[in-house]
Amino acid sequence: MSETTAATADPAAIAALKHVALAGGLNETKVSCAALGDRLDASTQTASRRLQTLESAGLVERDVVGDGQWVRVTDAGEAALRGEYADYRRLFETDVELVLRGHVTGGMGEGRHYITLPGYAEQFAARLGYEPFPGTLNLELDAESVRRRGEIAGVDAVPIDAWEDADRTYGAAACYAVTLVADGERYADAHAIVPDRTHHDDDKLEVIAPDELRDALDVSDGDPIEVRVEAASRADRSAAAPEQEVA
């Protein structure tokens, strides 16, 4: 598990991140560990350690000065908070839908290589219920969708496990069920694949499907596209069997 993933899964770290952001940390703010400790009902030392954890995970940036420290929530930190926000929206609001928008863009062919590797291909077939077309549809998200992308963390996904062969280890990923809409055409049997480790920026999104999506949607580079994200379930896990009656 990466430091970022571990921190976002830690309620104490998320609580500290929230208080920094509420104090104005999305734009940078001066933070006192003593004051943060009071807000968290924790000691000054504990507050300091939590800030260090957030910094190590890349969720905040810090500049320590003589009388305190300047702290700014990073894009990764904002994404983590948006994930929390999405969770609460699902608790208290109905018909909440995450829709991302952008346009089709060219890739470097890496998607074709990775999704056809046996360690991934076997998991796709079993867990998604299909063998993906050997290639990904690459999307570049607009500015608003980049800001909202962090909400995807609150949506149920199909996990793809890390694996290794004789040469190297390949990282884990999450597959989110999506419906694509482009110029009135819809494609519902697709998944956005989000690797745990990636060199892509947050404005890039890759989508896999059983079919060649450019042909199925009749799109080419630059064409606008809408990505409607939905909860995903594993194809290899059937519904729980009904409980047997006790005589």
Side-chain angles (χ1 to χ4, degrees):
M1 181 183 292
S2 67
E3 284 189 88
T4 301
T5 302
T8 54
D10 179 0
I14 288 294
L17 182 64
K18 180 186 75 173
H19 282 291
V20 169
L22 287 172
L26 288 178
N27 299 311
E28 189 173 59
T29 189
K30 202 168 188 180
V31 173
S32 158
C33 287
L36 180 60
D38 287 342
R39 296 191 193 100
L40 298 173
D41 193 23
S43 68
T44 299
Q45 292 77 13
T46 296
S48 178
R49 285 195 298 270
R50 289 181 186 170
L51 284 175
Q52 292 171 20
T53 296
L54 294 173
E55 183 180 31
S56 297
L59 302 179
V60 302
E61 293 177 347
R62 295 193 302 156
D63 182 19
V64 180
V65 294
D67 58 348
Q69 54 195 310
W70 290 93
V71 181
R72 184 185 70 83
V73 176
T74 64
D75 290 344
E78 183 176 348
L81 290 171
R82 284 185 175 274
E84 290 290 298
Y85 169 68
D87 284 343
Y88 282 111
R89 287 190 69 195
R90 272 184 288 278
L91 279 173
F92 299 113
E93 299 179 24
T94 58
D95 300 325
V96 175
E97 184 179 32
L98 174 59
V99 179
L100 305 176
R101 295 179 175 86
H103 64 267
V104 178
T105 186
M108 300 179 64
E110 292 180 343
R112 177 187 299 271
H113 169 67
Y114 282 107
I115 67 174
T116 57
L117 292 173
Y120 288 131
E122 293 168 5
Q123 293 187 70
F124 292 144
R127 299 183 181 185
L128 302 183
Y130 62 82
E131 295 182 4
F133 174 84
T136 60
L137 180 67
N138 296 278
L139 307 176
E140 183 169 336
L141 302 178
D142 62 25
E144 174 59 24
S145 294
V146 172
R147 287 191 290 271
R148 291 200 64 192
R149 179 178 174 145
E151 297 177 29
I152 204 171
V155 180
D156 291 338
V158 173
I160 302 298
D161 299 330
W163 59 282
E164 60 183 49
D165 60 16
D167 299 319
R168 57 168 288 188
T169 298
Y170 296 88
C175 288
Y176 298 88
V178 298
T179 294
L180 303 175
V181 182
D183 194 25
E185 296 291 331
R186 296 170 62 90
Y187 190 99
D189 299 320
H191 288 82
I193 183 167
V194 180
D196 278 3
R197 301 193 304 266
T198 179
H199 62 273
H200 288 319
D201 295 329
D202 285 343
D203 64 346
K204 300 297 190 295
L205 189 68
E206 291 183 280
V207 181
I208 60 175
D211 305 300
E212 210 290 331
L213 287 169
R214 285 175 178 257
D215 290 344
L217 290 167
D218 191 22
V219 293
S220 56
D221 286 359
D223 286 344
I225 197 161
E226 185 176 270
V227 182
R228 299 178 180 178
V229 185
E230 303 144 10
S233 58
R234 289 178 55 160
D236 58 350
R237 290 188 176 171
S238 59
E243 295 182 3
Q244 295 182 347
E245 293 185 6
V246 178

